[in-house]
Amino acid sequence: MRDASPQTIYLKDYTPFGYVVEEVHLTFDLAPSATRVTSRIKFSPNPDATNKTFFLHGKNLSLIAAKIDGEAVKPKLTDEGLTCDVPNVPFTWEAEVQIDPAANTALEGLYLSNGMYCTQCEAEGFRKITYYPDRPDVMSTFSVRVNGPHPVLLSNGNPVASGDGWAEWHDPWPKPAYLFALVAGELVAHRDSFTTMEGRKVDLALYVRPGDEGKCAFGMQALKDSMKWDEDVYGRAYDLDVFNIVAVDDFNMGAMENKGLNIFNASAVLASPETSTDTNFERIEAIIAHEYFHNWTGNRITCRDWFQLCLKEGLTVFRDSQFTADMRSEPVKRISDVIDLRARQFPEDQGPLAHPVRPESFQEINNFYTATVYEKGAEVIRMLKTLVGDEGYSKALDLYFDRHDGDAATIEDWLKVFEDSTGRDLTQFKRWYSQAGTPRVAVTDSFDNGTYTLTFEQLTPPSAATPEPQAQVIPIAVGLLGPNGDEVLPTQVLELTKDSQSFNFPGLGAKPVPSILRGFSAPIVLEHTPDHAFLLAHDTDPFNRWEAARNLGKASLISAVTKGSAPDAKWLDGVAGLLIDDTLDPAYRAYCLALPGQSQLAADLHANGTTPDPDAIWDACESHRQALAQRASDALPDLYTRHQVHGPYAPDAEQSGQRALGNAALSLLTRLDSGDMAQAQFDGATNMTQQLAALAYLIRAGRGDAALAQFEAQWKHDRLVMDKWFGMQVIEAKPDDAADTAKALTKHTDFNWKNPNRFRATLGTFAAHHAGFHAKDGSGYTLLADWLIKLDPVNPQTTARMCSAFQTWRRYDAIRQSMIGKELERIASTPNLSRDTTEMITRIREG
Ligand code: BES
Ligand code: ZN
């Protein structure tokens, strides 16, 4: 049954649950279409709550029997749960329900994935398993018995006992229901162990399907590295005797931090050199770290309610980015985070889906696992750390863990530990949590009598979510360069708190060139047009040097689009110079070569009052890449040769940097030799990074057919590799062919559209092909809408997330807007559309 009128939930309406859960006992009798779940739960009245309604969430459950203190009761059932009269003293609730995991295609609650039982309970999936107060502030210990004919039967916490066809687990740490997990199936374990700084020996296991044993070693090492890092850097040790990770093929997200039993999308954990790219390895390392770090930031300290989601997600993203920076390269990680923030969070914050890092209302919480909550949430913590300093941050975090261990906490609690430990007033800073929109900061300067003055004006464009934005606290890291390129003032952090503010730098011999927002010290749009070529040549801040290259390239692309100008020689010269500067990290140089994304160029054009033409943007990018290939033609062959890795493959920063630059060179070379070198690399490749890059360039050069066929024959048996095969054809298609290519792929026998990875590899990738998706005839919009309509009844979460492809629709011309508008309307008027998709489409249309 679907909801007739979706309800809006408000942060301001929070009230505690009327009962405390003392302990939970669950028994599962597994059967594909008729699993029985028996619960025995001790409740007692909550002295802190006034509302004593006994309401338990429950969805798609068949209630077999319910008892209170052993006496049968007849609760009142609705689509959302049940209510029941209960005593005003401690009591035991017992219920038996039946559920149908085989029919659960939404992949929320208990479901079957290739014959394996698994669960996904965050945010509100536990209510599809049994009746329960399914809210994060209700925490309890769980004891679980699993009965089923499977060799592996797992749940949270420590193993208690097991025998043929059953296993018992006990989790001593009180947790909310969203962290519950169960896995059962024919799985094999890759085992290891880790001894914590407290001397606890922890058995580690990564459970995979038979055949995937060879793809476990890297994930296991990443887990051990994460455990060590959290001890070294945050002083946090693991707290159970076992830590299990399971890889599943069908999963809506990347991975989930269930206590002691993390469940991962196979794509986010399984890796081997032959089947995974360097980028895959880096992502896997980061996700393993992320989910592991949740053990403290999320599980030991959880969220009071879902409005506080950034409390765990923003902080944990910040922690995993620190980890990656430590394991690999800090500047390269910063650059890749900022690329991601601009590609995913900025459009959200500047469009109809804009919402604060801590939203104030929602209809479907699954729609708020957003780039704003996650990535902007992490940026806000990064700013906080910049403002209070490393020591202040570390003191505040110690206090946070001390004070709130075992709590379901709020953003107020989080900020209070910073105030109490550093003495800083964070009243104004808190606006970062409540205001939507990306602040724009304009810079002007002057030089008078040896004093240089920088003036900043901040303005956050008003939005439906925040009609009257106020000034934010913005840390702006600034350095000054002298006219000869020497740094005359090392990095200082200026604190912008007013709409307009000036800062003086006295005692200078000549007017300096400012390097502003070093390290991207705040998630803002900087409006400043300094001499980018000068900064590209001289800036000591690696981020800003990359930014200068990017700004030069962006300006050149924009004038190519708007005025038809040729690629700027300053950009060509500057980038060609960086390319051969062997003092620079190869990974960094590869980033300096990359052009800004086409969707971002569209956003920039739109912000400057020009309606973006996707075909013109595509053409400008092509001509710029061609010009760069020609400009660097003398250096490229040697650059390519020198960045081939000899010896055994390692997915570390060093080698992957080499391959990134080698492949960037090959990509340009393919424009000069029409693909001969790419063909040679493809033919001789011994790892996926080299093979896939070569395949991409061959397709781009119009000679990919043989390689695609060979790739398919080689990798037909490997789902994760075939996802790449699907995605690659779409992303490398010419704009006019992209929709047809994607459509043809949806007819391929291996297109399992119910598998989220395959659906995303094909249609998600298509939506990311800017010029293809926005093809003039509207075919791209229709194709995506057709598939969203088809997927919605099967998997609302994955459908709703992909609706964001339409969030930028107001940027485009009237004809495209009208075509998109019609598709949005068609989706909206689909009978029985899910609450998830309804909310997304409504917000996109109305915002
Ligand atoms: N808690 C989330 C997983 C999740 C998200 C569950 C939404 C239910 C709904 C997990 O910690 C997470 O954030 N995973 C990310 C990856 C991470 C590296 C940012 C994901 O799955 O994309
Ligand atoms: Zn997370």
Side-chain angles (χ1 to χ4, degrees):
M1 272 309 276
R2 309 225 180 248
D3 314 84
S5 57
Q7 272 210 343
T8 302
I9 320 285
Y10 294 93
L11 165 61
K12 63 176 165 49
D13 291 345
Y14 173 82
T15 53
F17 185 53
Y19 300 84
V20 174
V21 177
E22 312 282 358
E23 53 184 58
V24 177
H25 294 260
L26 300 172
T27 301
F28 288 80
D29 292 290
L30 297 174
S33 297
T35 289
R36 288 284 170 109
V37 184
T38 314
S39 60
R40 197 173 80 246
I41 306 170
K42 282 196 185 155
F43 286 100
S44 63
N46 180 355
D48 299 332
T50 47
N51 183 345
K52 285 290 183 320
T53 311
F54 186 72
F55 172 76
L56 303 181
H57 295 103
K59 275 207 127 173
N60 306 337
L61 306 173
S62 307
L63 181 62
I64 310 289
K67 290 181 203 162
I68 288 177
D69 291 331
E71 299 270 328
V73 290
K74 280 236 168 314
K76 240 182 83 198
L77 304 182
T78 70
D79 280 353
E80 298 289 325
L82 62 74
T83 49
C84 193
D85 292 331
V86 298
N88 199 18
V89 292
F91 62 93
T92 300
W93 161 267
E94 286 169 281
E96 186 176 0
V97 303
Q98 184 166 308
I99 55 179
D100 186 351
N104 184 352
T105 57
L107 314 182
E108 186 187 49
L110 178 67
Y111 62 95
L112 274 170
S113 170
N114 284 323
M116 162 182 161
Y117 289 87
C118 62
T119 54
Q120 172 53 43
C121 292
E122 189 178 3
E124 299 181 334
F126 191 75
R127 63 191 63 182
K128 294 178 157 185
I129 293 175
T130 191
Y131 287 101
Y132 197 74
D134 188 6
R135 37 186 292 169
D137 60 341
V138 173
M139 298 170 81
S140 175
T141 57
F142 282 65
S143 302
V144 176
R145 180 181 169 104
V146 190
N147 298 320
H150 313 274
V152 173
L153 300 167
L154 306 172
S155 190
N156 313 89
N158 296 319
V160 176
S162 61
D164 203 18
W166 62 276
E168 287 180 359
W169 293 81
H170 177 68
D171 184 357
W173 298 101
K175 66 167 177 289
Y178 82 86
L179 291 172
F180 169 81
L182 177 151
V183 168
E186 216 172 291
L187 298 166
V188 287
H190 175 100
R191 297 185 188 279
D192 208 325
S193 72
F194 180 86
T195 302
T196 69
M197 63 183 186
E198 293 163 350
R200 180 199 294 269
K201 180 164 178 277
V202 184
D203 290 325
L204 311 176
L206 172 46
Y207 287 91
V208 299
R209 299 196 320 169
D212 285 335
E213 298 90 333
K215 293 185 175 184
C216 297
F218 180 81
M220 183 57 80
Q221 187 58 46
L223 174 60
K224 291 193 289 179
D225 291 342
S226 306
M227 296 178 88
K228 179 74 167 63
W229 187 92
D230 214 15
E231 293 185 347
D232 291 349
V233 179
Y234 280 82
R236 300 293 119 199
Y238 188 62
D239 54 7
L240 289 168
D241 303 332
V242 301
F243 188 85
N244 290 320
I245 292 180
V246 181
V248 305
D249 290 326
D250 300 279
F251 202 72
N252 283 331
M253 302 292 291
M256 177 64 207
E257 71 265 25
N258 315 300
K259 183 84 187 188
L261 178 53
N262 288 2
I263 297 182
F264 273 63
N265 187 321
S267 75
V269 57
L270 299 183
S272 74
E274 297 73 32
T275 59
S276 313
T277 62
D278 290 329
T279 314
N280 295 150
F281 278 103
E282 184 173 336
R283 170 165 179 262
I284 288 166
E285 184 178 82
I287 300 197
I288 298 237
H290 178 96
E291 306 311 338
Y292 175 73
F293 296 159
H294 269 315
N295 193 55
W296 276 93
T297 54
N299 301 1
R300 289 285 285 259
I301 305 179
T302 193
C303 301
R304 187 193 69 175
D305 53 68
W306 291 119
F307 296 103
Q308 321 295 329
L309 183 59
C310 64
L311 181 79
K312 76 177 177 81
E313 295 300 350
L315 177 54
T316 305
V317 170
F318 179 66
R319 275 152 51 72
D320 81 56
S321 74
Q322 289 182 299
F323 170 77
T324 299
D326 279 0
M327 297 289 290
R328 293 167 181 262
S329 147
E330 187 178 326
V332 170
K333 174 60 174 165
R334 189 63 188 142
I335 290 166
S336 91
D337 280 353
V338 173
I339 289 173
D340 185 61
L341 187 79
R342 285 176 171 152
R344 301 193 304 113
Q345 200 277 326
F346 279 23
E348 186 169 273
D349 222 356
Q350 295 163 29
L353 298 176
H355 55 275
V357 168
R358 181 170 68 176
E360 269 142 36
S361 70
F362 61 77
Q363 288 174 3
E364 173 51 62
I365 183 57
N366 282 315
N367 290 334
F368 284 85
Y369 286 74
T370 60
T372 297
V373 170
Y374 275 65
E375 274 71 36
K376 189 175 179 182
E379 290 296 321
V380 170
I381 294 175
R382 192 171 186 276
M383 287 191 285
L384 200 48
K385 179 164 180 283
T386 301
L387 291 169
V388 303
D390 291 355
E391 227 174 280
Y393 177 79
S394 159
K395 265 175 40 191
L397 268 283
D398 286 345
L399 182 59
Y400 180 62
F401 293 121
D402 266 9
R403 188 184 279 178
H404 293 293
D405 188 11
D407 287 355
T410 61
I411 289 302
E412 283 71 19
D413 295 328
W414 163 253
L415 290 174
K416 187 84 168 53
V417 299
F418 278 81
E419 294 192 321
D420 290 354
S421 60
T422 67
R424 226 187 135 97
D425 178 356
L426 293 172
T427 314
Q428 188 186 354
F429 185 83
K430 195 178 171 194
R431 286 179 193 158
W432 281 108
Y433 286 99
S434 60
Q435 292 192 175
T438 314
R440 307 183 81 89
V441 176
V443 186
T444 50
D445 64 353
S446 61
F447 185 69
D448 187 28
N449 248 335
T451 295
Y452 181 63
T453 303
L454 277 172
T455 301
F456 298 91
E457 301 207 30
Q458 62 163 305
L459 187 135
T460 303
S463 59
T466 305
E468 288 176 28
Q470 294 178 282
Q472 300 277 26
V473 181
I474 304 180
I476 300 194
V478 170
L480 300 179
L481 306 179
N484 65 354
D486 289 349
E487 189 166 76
V488 294
L489 183 89
T491 307
Q492 284 197 356
V493 177
L494 311 176
E495 280 181 44
L496 204 60
T497 55
K498 306 196 184 96
D499 290 328
S500 173
Q501 219 165 331
S502 295
F503 299 85
N504 292 327
F505 305 89
L508 295 168
K511 185 176 179 184
V513 177
S515 165
I516 302 175
L517 206 66
R518 284 185 157 180
F520 202 69
S521 58
I524 61 168
V525 173
L526 188 66
E527 293 174 345
H528 182 222
T529 39
D531 185 344
H532 296 308
F534 182 87
L535 291 171
L536 190 158
H538 301 294
D539 207 327
T540 56
D541 181 69
F543 179 86
N544 267 10
R545 204 168 169 201
W546 166 79
E547 181 87 316
R550 185 185 157 281
N551 279 332
L552 267 182
K554 193 173 86 175
S556 179
L557 284 159
I558 286 187
S559 51
V561 171
T562 54
K563 299 184 218 135
S565 11
D568 180 1
K570 280 192 194 159
W571 173 70
L572 292 168
D573 293 346
V575 170
L578 288 179
L579 202 58
I580 53 167
D581 182 348
D582 286 334
T583 64
L584 298 171
D585 177 356
Y588 176 80
R589 281 186 271 165
Y591 272 115
C592 292
L593 276 176
L595 300 178
Q598 297 186 23
S599 179
Q600 276 167 80
L601 290 168
D604 286 325
L605 285 160
H606 173 71
N608 297 332
T610 308
T611 302
D613 172 353
D615 292 318
I617 294 174
W618 169 275
D619 290 341
C621 290
E622 285 295 302
S623 64
H624 275 66
R625 292 199 181 98
Q626 191 65 39
L628 185 58
Q630 262 136 17
R631 172 66 183 76
S633 58
D634 288 348
L636 289 173
D638 179 55
L639 193 71
Y640 177 73
T641 313
R642 281 192 301 115
H643 292 89
Q644 296 309 304
V645 177
H646 305 285
Y649 177 95
D652 57 19
E654 224 238 272
Q655 275 199 16
S656 53
Q658 301 269 335
R659 282 185 287 269
L661 186 55
N663 283 332
L666 181 61
S667 159
L668 294 173
L669 279 165
T670 305
R671 292 175 186 270
L672 304 175
D673 78 348
S674 52
D676 294 347
M677 288 178 76
Q679 186 69 53
Q681 175 166 316
F682 183 83
D683 293 338
T686 56
N687 62 69
M688 184 49 67
T689 306
Q690 300 297 83
Q691 190 180 15
L692 197 67
L695 177 65
Y697 309 149
L698 288 171
I699 301 173
R700 222 180 279 170
R703 53 185 276 195
D705 288 355
L708 275 168
Q710 189 186 324
F711 191 98
E712 185 186 14
Q714 186 182 354
W715 295 116
K716 228 179 161 25
H717 62 281
D718 190 306
R719 285 190 180 79
L720 297 175
V721 179
M722 284 304 285
D723 286 335
K724 302 182 202 304
W725 183 84
F726 275 82
M728 187 56 78
Q729 297 177 64
V730 176
I731 203 68
E732 293 301 341
K734 300 274 180 288
D736 289 347
D737 300 335
D740 286 345
T741 303
K743 203 176 203 161
L745 286 169
T746 63
K747 299 191 171 116
H748 192 283
T749 46
D750 289 334
F751 182 69
N752 299 320
W753 58 277
K754 295 183 182 177
N755 173 265
N757 290 357
R758 190 57 51 89
F759 191 92
R760 280 188 289 253
T762 310
L763 292 143
T765 303
F766 174 64
H769 190 308
H770 186 252
F773 178 54
H774 291 285
K776 233 196 191 91
D777 61 1
S779 55
Y781 308 141
T782 306
L783 177 64
L784 185 66
D786 284 348
W787 277 101
L788 294 178
I789 290 169
K790 183 160 173 175
L791 186 65
D792 185 66
V794 167
N795 187 333
Q797 271 187 49
T798 292
T799 308
R801 293 183 78 80
M802 221 176 269
C803 291
S804 60
F806 290 114
Q807 72 178 326
T808 56
W809 68 305
R810 293 291 190 198
R811 283 181 195 159
Y812 298 93
D813 55 83
I815 298 174
R816 284 189 172 86
Q817 283 196 37
S818 131
M819 293 188 297
I820 299 175
K822 284 197 186 110
E823 296 301 342
L824 292 173
E825 194 187 325
R826 184 159 70 96
I827 300 172
S829 60
T830 303
N832 297 328
L833 197 69
S834 67
R835 174 166 70 185
D836 309 57
T837 303
T838 303
E839 182 185 28
M840 291 298 281
I841 297 291
T842 308
R843 285 165 61 210
I844 290 169
R845 292 175 82 193
E846 292 173 359

